[in-house]
Amino acid sequence: MASTTDYYGLLGVSRDADAAALKAAFRKKAMEYHPDRNGGCEDAMAKFKEVNEAYSVLSDPQKRAAYDRFGADGLNGMGGMGGGFSGGPQDINDIFSQVFGDAFGDMFNRAQQTRRAGPQRGSDIRHDLEISLEQAYQGSEVEIDVATAASCEPCSGTGAKPGASPQTCTTCNGQGRVRAANGFFQVERTCPTCGGQGRRLAEADVCTSCRGQGQVRKHRTLSLKVPAGVDDGSRIRLTGEGDVGRRGGPRGDLYVFLSVKPHELFERDGLDLLVQAPVSMALAALGGDIEAPCLASEACDGQCRTTVKVDAGAQTGKAIRVRGKGMPDLQGRRRGDLVVELFVETPTNLTARQKELMRELSESLGDKQLPRHAGFFKKAKTFWSDLTDGTA
């Protein structure tokens, strides 16, 4: 540890605290940060190791004297930590036995063994599902095929052949955990031989269907209700439809992650639906009504089109908002809008008469009646003039 380590601060005691105060403070901190009480949280484990180290130093008169005089650096010559040091509690269970008593330390060991030997909840699993925009708009019910862990029928989930039973694992002596030295601490890991079970089958007694696992993968067909308004990344949870648990434990959950396929006409923007609609030059100039596509709903009487009013003089890029014909929200309280973006089509393959009429129209309009046209060329003339004068 660095020389700035404050062991007294870690335990929350003053520098003149006696042995009883140190022990009481450590009992409180150890209970607070013990991994079994924090779901294996890494931060809690790190904090537990720190208070373990602090108590190991301050509970030893010789080490405490060296620490009080020289700080953590004064411990380097005493062996172990950063050195480190020898003696004192070096394992989570050992330190609980010393401070709380053997019965209390054994209680934690028994609790761990009970959890390993008892029913275990099955794993949660993920399934990815792609749906259409129409399904997301209206909501739908679909069938999905998922592979989940199921109990092996020939061995009824035991992993053993009929009549066979597992024996105590000789590697961990039935504890399901093995210890290995890791510097100052002893690290406890799952037994690699029995996988934490504490018992294992002889090779000849292993069920041939599941190879001793007690579980097999099976495909299941499930019905899934997709609510209206879902979007990319939406997640639906099916409780109890995940992997089956071991030793009679409950199933985990199934999480279905949705993605919406790109649509050939519509683009989604939150609750709004964006669509482009072509208009003729004549209609854009004179104004009128056009039919734009929309997704079928009660708002448009089940028809996949809606009437949109185009104002006279509409230009390409003009966006017309049709209220209430977009996507519904997941709570069903409101709908977004349908946003129709216009693009004006230029006619092609004109007949001679049509070309003549277009020329007459062009001449009759002139620049004054085309403000954008006139404005553009006015700016262009100024630009060219500046180039000629050398000011650009």
Side-chain angles (χ1 to χ4, degrees):
M1 297 292 289
S3 58
T4 56
T5 300
D6 181 6
Y7 290 140
Y8 292 100
L10 286 171
L11 294 178
V13 297
S14 62
R15 299 185 71 85
D16 59 355
D18 59 17
L22 287 172
K23 187 172 184 178
F26 174 72
R27 285 167 62 100
K28 181 179 178 180
K29 293 290 184 181
M31 285 292 292
E32 179 181 354
Y33 296 119
H34 193 281
D36 281 347
R37 307 192 76 185
N38 291 275
C41 173
E42 294 184 2
D43 291 340
M45 173 64 82
K47 204 69 177 178
F48 183 82
K49 290 179 179 179
E50 289 179 356
V51 298
N52 181 12
E53 175 188 334
Y55 182 72
S56 298
V57 171
L58 300 182
S59 62
D60 185 298
Q62 184 179 359
K63 294 170 189 169
R64 182 176 180 178
Y67 173 75
D68 288 343
R69 186 172 181 182
F70 303 108
D73 291 340
L75 303 170
N76 289 342
M78 305 183 71
M81 240 160 127
F85 31 85
S86 59
Q90 296 186 4
D91 180 81
I92 290 174
N93 295 317
D94 292 343
I95 201 165
F96 266 81
S97 295
Q98 289 192 21
V99 178
F100 296 94
D102 289 338
F104 196 84
D106 290 344
M107 181 184 72
F108 276 96
N109 286 332
R110 288 195 300 272
Q112 291 176 343
Q113 293 171 17
T114 299
R115 285 195 297 272
R116 289 193 294 266
Q120 294 181 359
R121 180 180 181 275
S123 300
D124 295 336
I125 60 176
R126 170 176 178 152
H127 180 80
D128 295 320
L129 176 66
E130 187 178 57
I131 61 174
S132 67
L133 184 61
E134 287 83 356
Q135 288 175 308
Y137 181 86
Q138 298 174 347
S140 60
E141 186 168 344
V142 298
E143 289 189 345
I144 57 175
D145 182 77
V146 295
T148 62
S151 293
C152 176
E153 294 181 2
C155 68
S156 300
T158 65
K161 290 181 178 179
S165 60
Q167 304 299 315
T168 301
C169 175
T170 56
T171 302
C172 63
N173 293 321
Q175 299 299 307
R177 311 282 288 179
V178 293
R179 295 179 181 179
N182 185 7
F184 174 68
F185 294 98
Q186 288 188 6
V187 179
E188 193 175 66
R189 297 186 176 89
T190 301
C191 176
T193 303
C194 65
Q197 304 302 311
R199 305 173 66 182
R200 64 188 300 264
L201 289 164
E203 190 66 31
D205 294 333
V206 172
C207 172
T208 56
S209 295
C210 64
R211 298 182 180 179
Q213 298 301 309
Q215 296 181 339
V216 293
R217 304 299 292 183
K218 284 188 176 181
H219 284 268
R220 304 165 60 214
T221 300
L222 303 174
S223 179
L224 175 70
K225 290 185 177 180
V226 178
V230 294
D231 200 354
D232 271 319
S234 294
R235 185 183 72 174
I236 301 175
R237 172 180 160 186
L238 297 181
T239 304
E241 297 293 355
D243 286 344
V244 70
R246 294 184 181 275
R247 292 182 293 280
R251 280 186 175 272
D253 298 334
L254 170 64
Y255 290 90
V256 181
F257 286 79
L258 302 176
S259 61
V260 181
K261 290 184 287 189
H263 198 279
E264 61 180 358
L265 288 179
F266 300 98
E267 181 179 346
R268 181 172 180 173
D269 181 15
L271 293 182
D272 292 340
L273 288 174
L274 313 181
V275 64
Q276 284 191 328
V279 294
S280 66
M281 287 179 59
L283 191 146
L286 301 175
D289 293 338
I290 64 170
E291 285 192 335
C294 68
L295 294 177
S297 72
E298 295 178 359
C300 51
D301 300 323
Q303 301 298 313
C304 296
R305 62 178 66 89
T306 187
T307 301
V308 178
K309 179 178 177 56
V310 179
D311 293 332
Q315 304 292 320
T316 292
K318 170 69 176 177
I320 302 174
R321 186 173 289 270
V322 184
R323 301 291 180 183
K325 293 191 177 180
M327 297 291 295
D329 67 6
L330 282 171
Q331 287 72 38
R333 298 173 182 171
R334 66 188 185 94
R335 285 184 178 271
D337 300 332
L338 176 68
V339 181
V340 182
E341 182 181 339
L342 305 179
F343 66 90
V344 181
E345 287 189 310
T346 302
T348 59
N349 301 321
L350 297 177
T351 65
R353 176 56 179 160
Q354 289 170 335
K355 290 179 181 179
E356 182 181 351
L357 291 173
M358 291 295 290
R359 292 190 189 98
E360 292 178 7
L361 176 63
S362 177
E363 291 173 359
S364 65
L365 288 174
D367 290 347
K368 293 182 179 179
Q369 296 191 42
L370 295 174
R372 292 190 181 182
H373 181 274
F376 170 77
F377 280 104
K378 182 178 179 181
K379 293 177 183 178
K381 288 176 181 178
T382 302
F383 173 71
W384 291 325
S385 177
D386 290 342
L387 284 178
T388 305
D389 297 340
T391 58

